[in-house]
């Protein structure tokens, strides 16, 4: 774990902070598709991603989901941090998009490190800024883009975070992430296939030229 921490976070954290993370943190290896944080849970630790990707979702009163953003290598979830600071329950759901390795840091260390390490303070503030920008992009996408473009953006991001041109989500799963219906997603995917942007197969979508 030490080598992974150094490779991923040495540009952010001081060596004494990395040593504390090694001492206090708990390494987790989580396969793709696992829920590692759910709505209504109290958050006891903060995730630091060593590898893989996690998608963060919001749920409405009817149980429908909306994809907010992805977390990738070297990142953490600022919404988690906000819940920790306020000692409130989680308002998001976090699901591993790919096989993921992460270090879970006890929440009580967050405040201590804020006063102790400049690297940690900068990392936290940068995380808030990045997540805010991504949330604004999500709002802009819903408010100003049609569903065709949102779907294309979604597929591009999937390819980016998984490093795979084959997307193995069902049409229904994509519809959940985009907060729309499966019928609409299937129709738009067919349209993109006719435009030679992708190929639809029984168990996956092959991205060709988005």
């Amino acid at each position: 774990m030490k080598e992974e921490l150094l490779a991923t976070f040495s540009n952010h954290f001081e060596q004494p902070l990395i040593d504390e993370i090694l001492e206090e943190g708990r390494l987790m290896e989580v396969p793709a598709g696992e829920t590692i944080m759910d709505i209504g849970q109290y958050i006891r630790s903060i995730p630091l991603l060593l590898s893989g990707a996690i998608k963060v979702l919001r749920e409405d009163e009817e149980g429908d989901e909306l994809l907010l953003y992805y977390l990738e290598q070297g990142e953490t979830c600022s919404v988690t941090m906000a819940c920790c600071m306020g000692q409130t329950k989680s308002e998001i759901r976090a699901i591993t998009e790919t096989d993921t390795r992460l270090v879970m840091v006890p929440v009580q260390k967050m405040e201590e490190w804020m006063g102790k390490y400049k690297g940690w303070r900068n990392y936290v503030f940068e995380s808030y800024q990045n997540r805010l920008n991504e949330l604004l992009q999500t709002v802009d996408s819903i408010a100003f883009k049609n569903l065709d473009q949102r779907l294309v953006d979604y597929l591009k991001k999937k390819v980016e975070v998984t490093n795979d041109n084959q997307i193995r989500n069902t049409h229904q799963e994509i519809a959940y992430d985009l907060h729309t219906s499966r019928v609409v997603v299937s129709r738009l995917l067919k349209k993109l296939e006719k435009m030679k942007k992708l190929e639809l197969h029984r168990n996956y979508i092959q991205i060709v030229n988005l």
Side-chain angles (χ1 to χ4, degrees):
M1 184 172 80
K2 183 176 181 179
E3 291 75 16
E4 285 180 283
L5 267 175
L6 286 169
T8 306
F9 293 102
S10 60
N11 290 335
H12 296 284
F13 299 155
E14 301 91 332
Q15 185 59 50
L17 173 54
I18 288 178
D19 291 340
E20 282 205 53
I21 293 172
L22 285 168
E23 184 178 340
E24 300 288 345
R26 176 170 57 94
L27 178 65
M28 290 182 62
E29 297 185 12
V30 188
E34 293 289 316
T35 299
I36 62 170
M37 187 183 307
D38 213 345
I39 295 163
Q41 288 182 342
Y42 281 105
I43 297 168
R44 308 299 182 193
S45 51
I46 302 159
L48 302 176
L49 264 72
L50 297 174
S51 64
I54 296 171
K55 67 178 180 180
V56 178
L57 306 158
R58 187 88 164 95
E59 187 178 84
D60 67 16
E61 294 177 355
E62 297 177 356
D64 294 325
E65 295 175 334
L66 174 66
L67 174 65
L68 298 179
Y69 51 79
Y70 288 97
L71 299 175
E72 299 177 71
Q73 184 184 45
E75 297 183 333
T76 190
C77 183
S78 55
V79 175
T80 301
M81 290 180 168
C83 290
C84 290
M85 295 288 279
Q87 298 183 341
T88 58
K89 293 180 181 179
S90 171
E91 295 185 4
I92 55 95
R93 176 173 294 124
I95 301 172
T96 48
E97 181 69 19
T98 63
D99 292 347
T100 299
R101 286 171 61 84
L102 59 149
V103 180
M104 302 300 287
V105 176
V107 62
Q108 60 267 26
K109 286 293 172 181
M110 182 179 168
E111 256 186 89
E112 178 186 329
W113 291 346
M114 285 289 283
K116 193 174 180 181
Y117 297 112
K118 181 180 179 182
W120 180 258
R121 285 197 303 276
N122 290 342
Y123 178 72
V124 169
F125 293 145
E126 183 181 318
S127 296
Y128 276 121
Q129 183 64 51
N130 291 340
R131 297 294 83 77
L132 176 60
N133 289 339
E134 289 179 326
L135 286 172
L136 289 174
Q137 289 172 12
T138 299
V139 171
D140 286 348
S141 175
I142 294 169
F144 305 122
K145 291 183 180 179
N146 59 35
L147 193 55
D148 302 57
Q149 187 57 52
R150 287 178 59 205
L151 177 59
V152 169
D153 291 346
Y154 170 88
L155 296 173
K156 284 180 178 178
K157 189 65 178 178
K158 275 275 189 184
V159 170
E160 179 186 331
V161 300
T162 62
N163 197 30
D164 190 350
N165 283 330
Q166 291 185 357
I167 295 173
R168 304 184 186 280
N169 296 76
T170 66
H171 295 192
Q172 183 62 69
E173 288 169 339
I174 296 172
Y176 284 144
D177 284 349
L178 293 175
H179 206 275
T180 187
S181 72
R182 181 193 59 78
V183 173
V184 171
V185 167
S186 296
R187 176 174 56 80
L188 293 176
L189 288 171
K190 274 290 187 185
K191 178 181 174 182
L192 290 170
E193 184 177 43
K194 288 178 181 177
M195 295 167 65
K196 309 295 185 184
K197 301 289 186 182
L198 52 79
E199 297 172 358
L200 298 176
H201 298 270
R202 182 169 183 177
N203 296 316
Y204 65 93
I205 300 167
Q206 179 71 46
I207 303 301
V208 177
N209 183 29
L210 284 178

